[in-house]
Amino acid sequence: MSSFLFESTCPQNPPSTKDFLPVIEDVIKVLQKEDQSVRPKANNKKPGGIINLIQGIPTILVPDLHSRYDFLVKILNYRPSNFSVLELLEKGLVNLLFVGDGLHSERAGLERWNSAYDDFLSGNFKGKAMTEEMSLGLNLMFLVMKLKIAFPRHVHFLKGNHENILNDDENGNYPFRKFVDEGQMSYEFMKATYPEKLIKNYAVFENLLPVFAVGSDFLVSHAEPARYFSKTEILNCYQHPSVITGLIWTRNDEALGNPAIQLLDEYFPENPSSLYFAGHRPVKEKFALREEGRFVQIHNPEKKQIIILNPNDAKNFRDGIINLDEV
Ligand SMILES: [Mn+2]
């Protein structure tokens, strides 16, 4: 049995300030003091943008979660072997890498968003629908934070474009809206629910997240790189917000040339079958390929799908795709 406890169904309410604030403060400390072999520092001695995944063990790649609390529960309980993913984390036998975007339900939550928007327009920032939406998203991120605190060298959450609780345009962020006014509605919900200190700290957490991960023969970021970025640029991304934007916001066909291939050639010059993985843009099947097959998009919002990458075996990623609704 695992000593790490979590609720198997999403609580009906967002985490209380009393529970949430100390965990946010703890995860900030963990992110500020990561093992430097895993997370080298930037020039200004702050955490750099790059994660070097621990070698010799499999990496579980998790696409955009978007408030799917049940998806994260399924991942932790899934048993790739005799052990569950949670037990493998406790034994240090697996890396768990999230590509970012924890908040904001996608199409599956459309009806709820529409209902929450009606409330929002009449000045009710925490009605039933919005409370349900934020309960899913915030309890999900609460659990991600607790995982990061418990397994700091093996759990990594890359920053996505939805890690922007203030809905601002600082630090490479841009306000977000898709179906309704999700970004602003979330910020108003936060202000109506939590003290300013908690919201500020939540933003600090978001702006400490790494943006790029390096595995044995693969690279990962939230979105396709918009152009080639040097190691120095990525390491120091928090001093160069356009680098963050360029790794979390890129739409299909927006990248200049084949930046994923250029980056793979730099990190794995001897390995023409190395691959670059990202979420962000939805795919219709299990995955979609761009950049001559070297850039793999893995986010299908309709599926609870993870990819288990064995060391030095990215080229066989198709064998590691697991739909958790089918196991
Ligand atoms: Mn995204």
Side-chain angles (χ1 to χ4, degrees):
M1 269 300 282
S2 166
S3 59
F4 186 96
L5 299 174
F6 59 94
E7 308 252 7
S8 59
T9 54
C10 187
Q12 299 287 303
N13 288 295
S16 68
T17 300
K18 181 173 73 63
D19 293 339
F20 205 7
L21 183 55
V23 169
I24 299 173
E25 289 172 340
D26 280 356
V27 80
I28 287 171
K29 284 183 205 146
V30 166
L31 288 168
Q32 283 169 333
K33 294 198 173 183
E34 297 219 57
D35 178 340
Q36 283 194 54
S37 65
V38 173
R39 185 155 188 202
K41 287 198 187 308
N43 290 341
N44 62 2
K45 309 286 180 217
K46 292 189 174 164
I50 301 177
I51 292 294
N52 295 317
L53 293 165
I54 290 176
Q55 302 285 314
I57 53 174
T59 295
I60 301 181
L61 262 182
V62 181
D64 310 34
L65 286 165
H66 287 301
S67 296
R68 295 183 288 172
Y69 185 89
D70 57 331
F71 186 6
L72 181 52
V73 168
K74 275 180 191 273
I75 293 167
L76 296 177
N77 288 332
Y78 173 60
R79 306 182 87 84
S81 61
N82 287 333
F83 300 111
S84 68
V85 168
L86 185 57
E87 288 163 341
L88 291 169
L89 283 172
E90 289 180 325
K91 293 172 187 294
L93 294 177
V94 74
N95 296 311
L96 182 60
L97 177 62
F98 299 93
V99 307
D101 278 4
L103 298 185
H104 304 147
S105 297
E106 296 184 287
R107 191 160 295 279
L110 180 55
E111 218 170 293
R112 183 168 59 225
W113 277 121
N114 285 332
S115 169
Y117 194 50
D118 289 341
D119 290 339
F120 176 77
L121 292 177
S122 62
N124 179 3
F125 299 145
K126 45 186 299 189
K128 187 170 170 289
M130 195 60 190
T131 300
E132 188 180 300
E133 167 64 31
M134 292 304 281
S135 179
L136 290 166
L138 293 174
N139 279 297
L140 166 66
M141 290 311 293
F142 188 35
L143 182 48
V144 166
M145 290 175 191
K146 288 191 273 190
L147 286 165
K148 179 67 191 173
I149 293 165
F151 315 110
R153 298 175 75 240
H154 292 85
V155 171
H156 305 287
F157 191 96
L158 301 183
K159 183 177 162 63
N161 57 311
H162 289 255
E163 273 64 60
N164 180 11
I165 202 71
L166 303 176
N167 202 38
D168 68 11
D169 55 5
E170 311 273 314
N171 298 303
N173 291 319
Y174 288 101
F176 178 83
R177 61 176 304 152
K178 186 172 181 183
F179 302 123
V180 286
D181 201 354
E182 290 91 329
Q184 198 57 32
M185 289 163 70
S186 302
Y187 183 38
E188 295 297 343
F189 178 90
M190 294 299 286
K191 288 194 285 184
T193 307
Y194 294 115
E196 198 184 341
K197 183 180 179 188
L198 185 148
I199 303 169
K200 277 192 171 164
N201 274 304
Y202 193 100
V204 169
F205 154 73
E206 293 176 322
N207 293 318
L208 279 168
L209 292 171
V211 294
F212 187 75
V214 183
S216 52
D217 57 351
F218 62 93
L219 299 172
V220 185
S221 57
H222 179 66
E224 185 176 7
R227 61 169 174 84
Y228 166 81
F229 294 107
S230 71
K231 212 172 268 190
T232 308
E233 282 180 299
I234 303 175
L235 201 56
N236 299 295
C237 62
Y238 280 96
Q239 296 158 73
H240 306 285
S242 69
V243 179
I244 298 175
T245 306
L247 290 167
I248 69 175
W249 270 105
T250 321
R251 296 192 180 99
N252 289 342
D253 302 319
E254 216 175 48
L256 281 178
N258 287 324
I261 296 179
Q262 273 180 280
L263 282 156
L264 290 166
D265 285 345
E266 176 179 345
Y267 284 81
F268 313 108
E270 311 290 316
N271 189 345
S273 54
S274 56
L275 294 172
Y276 195 123
F277 296 90
H280 188 56
R281 300 310 306 157
V283 298
K284 292 217 164 64
E285 305 297 332
K286 290 181 176 177
F287 61 91
L289 300 175
R290 307 182 66 80
E291 300 201 29
E292 300 169 20
R294 304 285 298 283
F295 178 72
V296 188
Q297 296 173 306
I298 60 166
H299 172 48
N300 182 330
E302 312 292 321
K303 294 185 197 292
K304 296 190 182 78
Q305 174 180 285
I306 57 173
I307 302 187
I308 303 185
L309 296 172
N310 285 315
N312 299 302
D313 197 33
K315 64 178 181 299
N316 289 317
F317 75 93
R318 289 168 185 79
D319 300 337
I321 300 178
I322 291 151
N323 182 340
L324 296 178
D325 279 329
E326 291 169 2
V327 294

